[in-house]
Amino acid sequence: MHSHSIAPWTHQHEFLGEHHDRNERRIWIVVALTLAMMVGEIIGGTVFGSLALVADGWHMSTHAAALSISALAYLYARRHVRNERFAFGTGKLGELAAFASAMVLAMIALLIGYESVERLVNPVPIAYGEALAIAVLGLAVNLGSAWLLGGEHHHHGHHHDHGVHGDHDNDHNQADDQDAHGHGHGHGGHHAHDLNLRSAYIHVLADAATSVLAILGLLAAGLFGWTWMDPIVGLVGTAVILGWAYGLVRDAGAVLLDTVPDPKLSAAVRTTLETDGDRVSDLHLWRVGPGHLAAIVALVSDHPKPAAVYKARLAHLHGLSHVTVEVAQCGSSHDSGGDHDRHPHPA
């Protein structure tokens, strides 16, 4: 047994988004704002005998709960970033939170839709002045929250250089902007996007949209006597929010199910490695965190080279934070490295 240190070949699986800490702080501020608004409305409604105010306060509580899911996900991911129980780190915890948050958003939308249909069938008298004041106050809080959360642009992720000496994992140090290389997300977004932040942003945006629609509906009902407008705009709000929730479920679900986040990058990996008769027999590319992609590549070659040679070829491809390469000699049924799924190779 050699006594040499293996430190140069080992590394942490830290795949958090580049602005993880900043985003976490901002979401906690928005949670505090939402809770303050909620408590104020419930207490105010109880003191002044306003059912509308109390109802809106409890409506805010559902958004506060969903935003808290996002905030706690950031906290948990940060605290457990070096926990070895997570095979590829805690970078995808944000997608799990986003998925749960989208479910809450969909339920809120359906509840608004149900209440709107009920109001259409059985109209109830509305205290227009009071309801309008609540909607304007809610809009102000939500616009402030949206401004806090909407500052995310396209960023590149952190990458760590651990050398290219071994047959297994290797992180490339790439500081260039990923956007310049056109590697888009499978559903139109970018793989550097923080879906947890986006889910929180959509929650406050949904609340702002319902406030705007409520203001329009109340003005139409109050000025022109169109009492049916209020529930109609409620149904419009339901459709809009359900659309946003679906988009969030689709994108978060795609990451949680390890779908290929970037077909162009996948094709580029194949093109880069398939030279001098070498062939890629198996390729897995998936997202392990905002701005971080992992790849496992199996190669078949007549003249196998060390895995480090193949990894070095991939160094110019931006977004790859974790690369594992295994090489098999053509005609051999055994890989030179790794214990992943094997398929017989033709002689």
Side-chain angles (χ1 to χ4, degrees):
M1 174 75 74
H2 295 290
S3 59
H4 300 300
S5 170
I6 61 166
W9 292 274
T10 61
H11 59 274
Q12 298 292 333
H13 296 95
E14 296 180 27
F15 301 127
L16 302 183
E18 185 178 3
H19 296 286
H20 186 94
D21 292 347
R22 184 200 70 177
N23 294 345
E24 182 184 345
R25 282 194 302 273
R26 290 185 177 190
I27 286 191
W28 280 119
I29 292 169
V30 172
V31 168
L33 271 173
T34 308
L35 285 172
M37 174 85 177
M38 177 195 89
V39 171
E41 284 188 341
I42 291 172
I43 292 173
T46 305
V47 170
F48 299 116
S50 166
L51 192 64
L53 206 54
V54 172
D56 198 64
W58 287 114
H59 168 75
M60 289 292 277
S61 74
T62 56
H63 282 290
L67 290 165
S68 295
I69 290 171
S70 293
L72 290 169
Y74 277 119
L75 180 67
Y76 189 90
R78 177 169 51 82
R79 287 193 173 172
H80 292 267
V81 71
R82 296 194 174 189
N83 189 330
E84 291 183 1
R85 287 192 306 119
F86 297 97
F88 284 96
T90 54
K92 281 164 67 171
L93 202 71
E95 276 71 29
L96 190 60
F99 193 91
S101 205
M103 293 289 106
V104 176
L105 197 65
M107 285 190 282
I108 290 170
L110 291 172
L111 192 64
I112 293 170
Y114 174 77
E115 288 176 355
S116 298
V117 170
E118 200 171 44
R119 290 282 177 94
L120 269 176
V121 177
N122 303 305
V124 294
I126 303 168
Y128 293 108
E130 180 193 273
L132 203 58
I134 295 167
V136 169
L137 180 62
L139 180 61
V141 170
N142 287 310
L143 287 178
S145 299
W147 175 78
L148 264 175
L149 299 179
E152 190 200 42
H153 302 291
H154 294 192
H155 299 291
H156 57 268
H158 291 310
H159 302 277
H160 311 285
D161 186 12
H162 298 279
V164 287
H165 307 292
D167 287 340
H168 294 286
D169 303 335
N170 159 63
D171 287 10
H172 301 292
N173 188 0
Q174 299 150 347
D176 299 317
D177 190 347
Q178 292 169 8
D179 290 332
H181 299 269
H183 301 317
H185 188 282
H187 292 294
H190 193 278
H191 59 67
H193 281 171
D194 187 332
L195 284 180
N196 194 20
L197 185 74
R198 187 174 130 202
S199 71
Y201 181 67
I202 286 176
H203 266 279
V204 296
L205 210 60
D207 222 16
T210 53
S211 296
V212 168
L213 289 169
I215 289 166
L216 292 174
L218 289 166
L219 285 173
L223 293 173
F224 308 111
W226 299 344
T227 51
W228 47 268
M229 269 296 285
D230 190 49
I232 287 294
V233 294
L235 289 172
V236 171
T238 296
V240 170
I241 297 167
L242 279 177
W244 288 344
Y246 168 75
L248 204 51
V249 165
R250 180 196 62 195
D251 291 348
V255 176
L256 291 171
L257 290 171
D258 294 329
T259 59
V260 176
D262 191 343
K264 287 182 181 177
L265 183 58
S266 185
V269 169
R270 283 186 180 274
T271 305
T272 302
L273 294 178
E274 291 190 332
T275 58
D276 302 325
D278 295 347
R279 288 289 174 265
V280 172
S281 61
D282 200 16
L283 171 60
H284 301 279
L285 181 71
W286 73 102
R287 171 168 151 152
V288 288
H292 297 281
L293 300 180
I296 294 176
V297 190
L299 283 154
V300 181
S301 175
D302 286 318
H303 307 287
K305 301 172 187 68
V309 172
Y310 298 104
K311 289 175 184 176
R313 286 184 193 170
L314 298 174
H316 71 285
L317 296 176
H318 299 271
L320 291 176
S321 295
H322 192 290
V323 177
T324 304
V325 172
E326 54 184 38
V327 192
Q329 182 153 8
C330 198
S332 167
S333 61
H334 298 288
D335 298 322
S336 68
D339 56 357
H340 303 282
D341 296 334
R342 295 193 183 100
H343 306 284
H345 302 301

